[in-house]
C-alpha cells in the first residue's frame, strides 16, 4: 500500500491584525511537524500587517515556507478559500491571525490520521486555551467538544462543539471536494456550517490536549451583537430543514437568536434582521418557549440580563 503523505498546508486569513500576526506565524514555524507551506492571505488590510509578514519571511530561517497572497477585502471566508486554492498538500489547517498554536499541534493531530486507525476521518480538532492581548494564557470554560468523535452530525447540529473554531482543526483536503468551499455569504458561524458539511462526508476525531490559544480582545467578532445575530439568522435559515423535527435544536437556536438580539442597542434593527432572514413559521418555532413570539422572547432575555445577568 502506498504510504500516506503527511504534508500540511496552513492558511492564515489576515485583516488588520498587525499586533498579532507575527506571533501567529512564529507559532506555526515552531511546530514539531513543520508545514509544507503557509499561505497568509491578506484580505485588504489597511495596517502594516502585510509589511510585517514580508519582513518576517525575509528574516526567518524557515521563511521560505511562507507565501503572502493579497486580495481586496472580501471577508475571512473568501481569504480561507483563496488559501485553499493555492495549496495542494493532503492536509489543511487554518489559523486566525490573532491566535497561536502549541508546538505539538500538527504532530498530535496527524497521529489521528494514521493508516489503520483513521478509517473515514476527515477532520481532527483539539482543545483550546485563552490568550489575552498581552499573551498571558488562561483556561477556557470546559467544553464537551473533547468527546466529539466519529459520526457527529446530529450532535453538531445542536451546537458547535469544536471549541477552538477554525484555528483548532486539521482537515483532509480531499473532503473539500465533496463539501465545497467555505460559505462566503455567512458573516459568522461559517466554521459551524463547514463542520456540519464535513460531518456528512466522514468521521471526526480529537487530539486531547489544549493545543490552540484563542486570542481574547475587544475586536473579537463575538462582541459585535448585530454581526453575530446576522450570522446566526443566516446559518439557521440554511440548516432549518434539518432542525424542524428537533425540539432541542430549535430551543437552543432560539435561545441564541434572542440572546444576541437582546444585546443589539437598536431593537427594531434586531427585529428586522430576524424578519428578513427567517420565515414567520421558523420564527415561531424558534420562539416556542415564548408562545411563538420572538419579541416576547427577546424582551424576556433583556429582563433576565437586567436582573440575573449570570442566567441570561
Amino acid at each position: 500500500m502506498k504510504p500516506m503523505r503527511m504534508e500540511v498546508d496552513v492558511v492564515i486569513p489576515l485583516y488588520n491584525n498587525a499586533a498579532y500576526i507575527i506571533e501567529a506565524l512564529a507559532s506555526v514555524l515552531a511546530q514539531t511537524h513543520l508545514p509544507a507551506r503557509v499561505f497568509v492571505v491578506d484580505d485588504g488590510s489597511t495596517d502594516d500587517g502585510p509589511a510585517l509578514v514580508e519582513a518576517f519571511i525575509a528574516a526567518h530561517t524557515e521563511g521560505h515556507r511562507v507565501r503572502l497572497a493579497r486580495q481586496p477585502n472580501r471577508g475571512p471566508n473568501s481569504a480561507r478559500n483563496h488559501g485553499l486554492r493555492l495549496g495542494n498538500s493532503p492536509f489543511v489547517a487554518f489559523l486566525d491571525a490573532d491566535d497561536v498554536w502549541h508546538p505539538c499541534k500538527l504532530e498530535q493531530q496527524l497521529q489521528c490520521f494514521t493508516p489503520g486507525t483513521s478509517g473515514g476521518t476527515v477532520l481532527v480538532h483539539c482543545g483550546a486555551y485563552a490568550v489575552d492581548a498581552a499573551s498571558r494564557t488562561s483556561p477556557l470554560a470546559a467544553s464537551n467538544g473533547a468527546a466529539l468523535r466519529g459520526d457527529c452530525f446530529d450532535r453538531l447540529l445542536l451546537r458547535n462543539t469544536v471549541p477552538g473554531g477554525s484555528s483548532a482543526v486539521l482537515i483532509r483536503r480531499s473532503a473539500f471536494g465533496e463539501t465545497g468551499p467555505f460559505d462566503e455569504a455567512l458573516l459568522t458561524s461559517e466554521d459551524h456550517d463547514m463542520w456540519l458539511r464535513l460531518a456528512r462526508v466522514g468521521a471526526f476525531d480529537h487530539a486531547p490536549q489544549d493545543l490552540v490559544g484563542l486570542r481574547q480582545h475587544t475586536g473579537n467578532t463575538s462582541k459585535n451583537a448585530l454581526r453575530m445575530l446576522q450570522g446566526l439568522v443566516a446559518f439557521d435559515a440554511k440548516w432549518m430543514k434539518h432542525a424542524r423535527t428537533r425540539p432541542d435544536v430549535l430551543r437552543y437556536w432560539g435561545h441564541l437568536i434572542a440572546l444576541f438580539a437582546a444585546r443589539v442597542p437598536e431593537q427594531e434593527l434586531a427585529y428586522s434582521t430576524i424578519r428578513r432572514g427567517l420565515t414567520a413559521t421558523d420564527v415561531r418555532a424558534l420562539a416556542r418557549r415564548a408562545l411563538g413570539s420572538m419579541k416576547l422572547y427577546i424582551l424576556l432575555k433583556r429582563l433576565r440580563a437586567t436582573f440575573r445577568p449570570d442566567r441570561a
Side-chain angles (χ1 to χ4, degrees), residues 18-186:
Y20 304 115
I21 181 58
I22 297 306
E23 191 175 351
L25 266 177
S27 77
V28 172
L29 294 187
Q31 292 295 296
T32 53
H33 183 107
L34 282 170
R37 289 287 181 269
V38 183
F39 298 104
V40 179
V41 182
D42 174 43
D43 188 41
S45 294
T46 57
D47 66 4
D48 60 351
L52 291 174
V53 173
E54 290 178 330
F56 180 90
I57 292 172
H60 201 282
T61 55
E62 294 290 346
H64 62 278
R65 298 178 186 271
V66 183
R67 299 287 187 272
L68 176 64
R70 299 175 187 269
Q71 67 174 35
N73 180 242
R74 299 191 186 103
N77 288 346
S78 175
R80 292 185 185 104
N81 289 337
H82 188 162
L84 268 175
R85 292 190 295 268
L86 293 174
N88 59 11
S89 292
F91 298 95
V92 185
F94 300 92
L95 177 62
D96 288 350
D98 52 353
D99 293 338
V100 292
W101 284 347
H102 183 281
C104 293
K105 194 260 189 188
L106 293 181
E107 179 183 3
Q108 293 198 15
Q109 289 184 308
L110 282 168
Q111 290 173 1
C112 298
F113 285 104
T114 301
T117 61
S118 62
T121 301
V122 296
L123 179 150
V124 174
H125 61 111
C126 62
Y129 55 92
V131 182
D132 69 12
S135 298
R136 295 181 295 253
T137 63
S138 60
L140 283 174
S143 169
N144 61 353
L148 195 63
R149 288 188 167 100
D151 180 359
C152 53
F153 178 84
D154 286 339
R155 289 182 56 196
L156 269 173
L157 186 65
L158 174 63
R159 66 178 73 185
N160 184 0
T161 49
V162 178
S166 58
S167 294
V169 299
L170 181 64
I171 300 171
R172 194 185 297 273
R173 179 183 291 276
S174 59
F176 289 108
E178 298 184 63
T179 65
F182 284 89
D183 187 343
E184 297 180 18
L186 290 176

Side-chain angles (χ1 to χ4, degrees), residues 102 126-129 139-140 206-213:
H102 183 281
C126 62
Y129 55 92
L140 283 174
H206 180 260
Q209 292 189 26
D210 293 342
L211 301 173
V212 175

